[in-house]
Amino acid sequence: MALRTAFTDLLSIDHPIASAPMGGSAGGELAAAVSNGGGLGLVGGGRGERAWLERELAIVTARTSRPWGVGFLAWAVEVSTVEWVLDQGPAAVMLSFGDPGPFAARVHAAGIPLIIQVTDLDEARRAVDLGADLLVAQGAESGGHGGRRSTLTLVPAVVDLVAPVPVLAAGGIADGRGVAAALVLGAVGALLGTRFQASHEALVDAEIVKAIVGGLGADTERSRVLDVARDSGWPARYTARVVTNSFLDTWRGREQELERDVDTRRAYREAAARGDLAVVSVWASEAIDLITEVASATELVRLIAEETERAFTCAT
Amino acid sequence: MALRTAFTDLLSIDHPIASAPMGGSAGGELAAAVSNGGGLGLVGGGRGERAWLERELAIVTARTSRPWGVGFLAWAVEVSTVEWVLDQGPAAVMLSFGDPGPFAARVHAAGIPLIIQVTDLDEARRAVDLGADLLVAQGAESGGHGGRRSTLTLVPAVVDLVAPVPVLAAGGIADGRGVAAALVLGAVGALLGTRFQASHEALVDAEIVKAIVGGLGADTERSRVLDVARDSGWPARYTARVVTNSFLDTWRGREQELERDVDTRRAYREAAARGDLAVVSVWASEAIDLITEVASATELVRLIAEETERAFTCAT
């Protein structure tokens, strides 16, 4: 059984699996490894830091001849940066969080699929109006930033709303069972983040990988506290799921007070710069119960594709 | 393709679909209608009000010759009430929320399956220790009371933890796509609540049914505010998902203040007794986007079973 979907057809890839463009950690090595496994590897362009992008896109183009893409934060990246990236040969560009409006025409002019990630039905409607070729419906189970809706209920609602535009599911998916769930919910594949953070190719500190592999979903929470503490600039409507730490225990529910507390925020940034795990953001999916070892991302894509097929065999 | 699973075998039913034992609203008519459709109908025994149970169990035994069960709130029901129900011929008894310990031996002595609903991994471990024959892993997408974990991540984690004990998925499932997702996640079926609230047989006020059918998942939220307002006695760790209303808008995040405000709580209870939808608890799943019409529960079971099979056909 080949899991061929509108997503694998659109991108000419083998498996309906994409890696999330996690800012800073999804570099060229990770994206290339995922693409070499038959999925779609997405470089985490984040806010569009040019030096980082030049280095990582050089790596991805050197390491794979298969389709790869780049994702950006719509609220933070400059149009000129996206235009520069479009010249480097990505197979797709993805915009997440904020208004993708300023970028849509540029991506379409480059003749490649425009992927827009959405966290609710209003964002889904807007993405379709902009001519998105593929949506990512991301639930609140996701590691890092996201919205309020859960993947299980958001995905079918978005699929119904935007049909026939194809939809990937994201948030809380870390193995083939989750990819299979995405497919039966009506999605054409799944986008996985945290599962690929715990890979050999991600640009992630070893201590953070250890926290993911050893952590439990019950120890994660969505919060704006760490964004406030580090003056991240993130729009308040998007919270981030992280592994709970002592700083969060202290400041949970006190975001406004923290905004006024200049000294605490300065001390936080200093501790975070030292990599102090008692305060730093360990972005992690609620699905980390299912992540118990580090592996190569190429192998992970193949393994998850096999698990996906097995999930169907076992269930029916 | 017949969706035969360890759940359909255990209960001798046709479809891997159960209706949630929603206190007060899942009476004998609803349970019988679900069982007559080939699922497992569960009467909502709640805290175990004897007069209500006598009336509703008389109805379910009159209306169906198929297997049906009863569910109770473990934190509230008396052992003697469960013992009385066991004499009325249920095919299974389900305990949710709180310690099922005092009831396990009685259910086993009656020679029927013990179903225990869990909201996290610790509760799942405890349920297995008590010899549960079937677990329900309930995610926070559910309408009414529940825990913090999401269905998509909780179900596979519980399945892995308790294997080979079978697991049903609950929370955020309202159609066949959701049941199919439960199956590929490793569950042996799904338990649906809100979908059956919007049925002809549920004991639910027409205005509340209208709020469910017309509502969106984005308009629901988990909260303890309404439990505090109505002095419900619910353990604080279980919040309830309801359709947002103006009372919630006023008191969100101010639970402790509300506990001290005797006048507001009295006024709340008076308004709730009048059925004022600006304050009353409209318990609703985050999946209400998918619930767009009222139907007979017997028809719903058949329809959802067909959708489940179609979800597999489309995905593979």
Side-chain angles (χ1 to χ4, degrees), chain A residues 1 3 121 141 148-153 156-157 159-160 171-173 175 177-178 180-181 183-186 216-218 220-221 286-287 289-290 311-312 315-316, chain B residues 1 3 121 141 148-153 156-157 159-160 171-173 175 177-178 180-181 183-186 216-218 220-221 286-287 289-290 311-312 315-316:
Chain A
M1 183 175 79
L3 287 170
L121 298 185
E141 296 92 329
R148 291 181 59 234
R149 295 297 307 271
S150 75
T151 304
L152 182 64
T153 70
V159 165
D160 289 346
I173 300 174
D175 66 10
R177 292 176 292 189
L183 294 173
V184 295
L185 289 172
L216 294 174
T220 68
E221 68 180 290
E286 200 192 314
D289 305 275
L290 310 176
F312 284 113
T316 58
Chain B
M1 185 175 77
L3 287 169
L121 298 186
E141 298 91 327
R148 292 180 57 233
R149 294 296 307 270
S150 76
T151 304
L152 182 65
T153 70
V159 165
D160 289 346
I173 300 175
D175 66 10
R177 291 176 293 188
L183 294 172
V184 295
L185 289 172
L216 294 174
T220 68
E221 68 180 290
E286 200 192 314
D289 305 276
L290 310 176
F312 284 113
T316 57

Side-chain angles (χ1 to χ4, degrees), chain A residues 18 49 62 83 100 120 140-141 175 178 209-210 215 248 260 265-266 272 282 284:
Chain A
E49 198 196 323
E83 287 177 329
D120 62 27
E141 296 92 329
D175 66 10
V209 171
K210 207 168 132 187
L248 272 165
R260 293 189 302 267
R265 295 213 314 282
R266 186 186 313 113
V282 177

Side-chain angles (χ1 to χ4, degrees), chain A residues 15 19 74 112 156 164 186 203 298:
Chain A
H15 305 302
S19 58
I112 60 170
L203 300 170
T298 301

